[in-house]
Amino acid sequence: MRTFCGLTTDGMLDYLAAIFHLAQNADKVTTGALADRMLVSAAAASSMLKRLQDSGFVERSNADGITLTEQGRLAALQLIRRHRLLEVFLVEIMGYTWDQVDVEAHRLEHAISPNFEERIEQLCGHPQRCPHGDLIPTKDGSLPVEELAPVVEMQPGQSGVLRRVGIRDASALRYLSQLQLTPGRTVKLVEMAPFDGPVTLELGGALNGDATQVLGRQLAEQLFILPEERVQVDPARQ
């Protein structure tokens, strides 16, 4: 069992990472939302939160909900770093597809040593993004802020580069692969039907298929774009 920032259980780390992820998409993290993500009862989540609070890794208030302390955030990002490096390793070295790696990385992330983690990073060429486009935290726990927007917030005719896919459902990822909607692809919003209707995208450099793809609004909301006017040379691996 690994120890991060004084933590002694894998379960505590999993909770911290879950809180971090929830905070990226919500104004306030609640016990109920955390319990749903961890697939446990609200009572079980509350019990773990008390342990984390007593250990100085989280703070709780009615106004702000559940927030990570500086120490808690560092521990969460250390685990997230390992998870995303493992995903890169599984794709680039082991030959997995991007829809298979989330579960496998979760199984491995608590088992490998710091030396193994470092060898993975070196072997994969110091990647900056996981296969889904998420940035990989640095060793010191820093994570750059990237200003991306869901494709549904683009205007018709606007182009950009698909940087991140914010979904881990295996069937959805396989479907996006079939549509050639993977990080690094240039896309242009052609049309967005009203009343939550379908979204039509034009793909730059499409291979072996139609350059125009249509997908549902719910899935399109999980595609995060760097608008064309902000596209610069990006050293991050795609």
Side-chain angles (χ1 to χ4, degrees):
M1 182 178 298
R2 296 285 313 285
T3 299
F4 289 73
C5 299
L7 294 176
T8 58
T9 71
D10 296 340
M12 294 170 79
L13 284 168
D14 289 336
Y15 269 83
L16 293 179
I19 293 167
F20 179 88
H21 288 305
L22 287 170
Q24 305 308 296
N25 301 303
D27 294 331
K28 183 167 70 172
V29 179
T30 65
T31 301
L34 182 60
D36 289 343
R37 184 176 181 94
M38 298 301 296
L39 301 177
V40 300
S41 68
S46 183
S47 176
M48 176 60 81
L49 284 170
K50 185 178 186 306
R51 292 178 61 190
L52 292 171
Q53 187 174 18
D54 291 344
S55 300
F57 296 106
V58 304
E59 295 177 347
R60 291 189 288 177
S61 70
N62 291 332
D64 299 326
I66 305 161
T67 57
L68 296 173
T69 63
E70 183 177 350
Q71 188 177 12
R73 187 177 188 275
L74 175 59
L77 286 172
Q78 286 177 335
L79 185 64
I80 291 168
R81 167 183 165 80
R82 170 175 301 169
H83 184 97
R84 292 176 181 173
L85 282 172
L86 279 165
E87 289 185 330
V88 176
F89 174 78
L90 289 167
V91 168
E92 296 193 0
I93 306 301
M94 300 297 292
Y96 282 75
T97 54
W98 74 333
D99 56 287
Q100 299 171 327
V101 295
D102 185 54
V103 172
E104 292 292 345
H106 185 70
R107 291 169 178 160
L108 293 168
E109 62 192 18
H110 292 296
I112 66 173
S113 68
N115 287 337
F116 195 95
E117 177 183 317
E118 185 174 346
R119 291 293 296 273
I120 286 176
E121 184 179 23
Q122 294 173 353
L123 189 61
C124 295
H126 302 277
Q128 296 186 30
R129 298 177 186 272
C130 79
H132 312 99
D134 289 303
L135 291 168
I136 298 174
T138 62
K139 286 182 180 180
D140 64 6
S142 63
L143 184 64
V145 176
E146 190 171 39
E147 295 184 4
L148 304 178
V151 70
V152 295
E153 294 184 4
M154 296 171 63
Q155 298 299 318
Q158 185 178 9
S159 298
V161 176
L162 176 58
R163 279 287 188 257
R164 183 171 74 86
V165 175
I167 192 170
R168 294 298 179 270
D169 179 76
S171 59
L173 289 173
R174 287 193 294 270
Y175 178 64
L176 289 173
S177 290
Q178 293 172 6
L179 299 183
Q180 303 178 48
L181 284 166
T182 53
R185 174 71 65 191
T186 299
V187 300
K188 180 172 73 173
L189 178 61
V190 176
E191 182 182 10
M192 188 161 54
F195 307 109
D196 293 328
V199 176
T200 303
L201 300 175
E202 182 179 300
L203 279 59
L207 301 173
N208 303 320
D210 197 336
T212 301
Q213 302 290 5
V214 180
L215 66 160
R217 180 70 62 89
Q218 186 176 8
L219 188 54
E221 290 173 348
Q222 298 300 314
L223 305 182
F224 292 88
I225 305 296
L226 180 65
E228 186 175 31
E229 57 268 22
R230 295 210 307 267
V231 174
Q232 299 177 351
V233 176
D234 185 356
R237 297 169 66 102
Q238 300 299 334

